Amino acid sequence: MDSPCISVCQMDEDGYCIGCGRTIDEIRGWKRSSDDEKTEVLSRVAERQGQSA
């Protein structure tokens, strides 16, 4: 599964990347995560983006 990184790597005041919406821990763990774990991260990102929209 490809990373959601869009090379806009800057954290906002809430601790989320303004490019991909992940936390620093989610970013760090991406490569060693299973596809199921990555799907969970992407689901959390979608929820975050829905709440901020």
Side-chain angles (χ1 to χ4, degrees):
M1 184 177 294
D2 291 333
S3 168
C5 180
I6 60 168
S7 298
V8 180
C9 304
Q10 186 176 5
M11 305 310 276
D12 68 12
E13 64 277 353
D14 294 319
Y16 303 118
C17 177
I18 63 171
C20 67
R22 296 177 292 170
T23 66
I24 194 71
D25 289 336
E26 291 168 341
I27 293 167
R28 286 182 184 145
W30 186 261
K31 285 188 178 182
R32 68 178 181 271
S33 296
S34 69
D35 282 349
D36 287 341
E37 291 167 327
K38 291 175 181 178
T39 299
E40 289 176 22
V41 168
L42 294 177
S43 179
R44 288 193 299 266
V45 168
E47 288 177 20
R48 290 177 198 141
Q49 291 173 341
Q51 290 174 356
S52 63

